[in-house]
Amino acid sequence: MNLTLQNKFDIILHALEIIGSYETCDCGCPQKRQGRVAGTPAQVWAIANEALRNIGHEIKVYDEKSSNY
Ligand SMILES: [Zn+2]
């Protein structure tokens, strides 16, 4: 599978749209919208993780003992 930059962009954009979109609300705020939380934290992680894997990105393993992030 050889993805172009455009393909990768589309995959990442799709994931970001899911986890960074709005939903309408009726709480009285001026824009009538609020952040749409896409499921549990684990589900949000899975969406991002899948997108990173789908573009062939080498996913970082954070090490709390080091400061390389
Ligand atoms: Zn609102």
Side-chain angles (χ1 to χ4, degrees):
M1 187 169 58
N2 235 334
L3 296 175
T4 65
L5 274 180
Q6 181 68 50
N7 296 146
K8 292 180 179 183
F9 177 84
D10 289 344
I11 291 168
I12 294 298
L13 185 62
H14 179 66
L16 285 176
E17 281 177 336
I18 293 170
I19 65 179
S21 58
Y22 294 113
E23 63 186 5
T24 56
C25 64
D26 54 7
C27 73
C29 62
Q31 293 184 310
K32 297 189 189 320
R33 67 183 188 190
Q34 63 187 1
R36 174 179 169 271
V37 179
T40 66
Q43 287 166 333
V44 173
W45 171 84
I47 291 165
N49 182 263
E50 184 184 20
L52 289 171
R53 280 189 289 108
N54 283 345
I55 65 164
H57 186 73
E58 187 179 338
I59 300 177
K60 210 167 188 168
V61 178
Y62 287 105
D63 182 351
E64 291 180 3
K65 291 185 288 292
S66 74
S67 58
N68 62 350
Y69 62 94

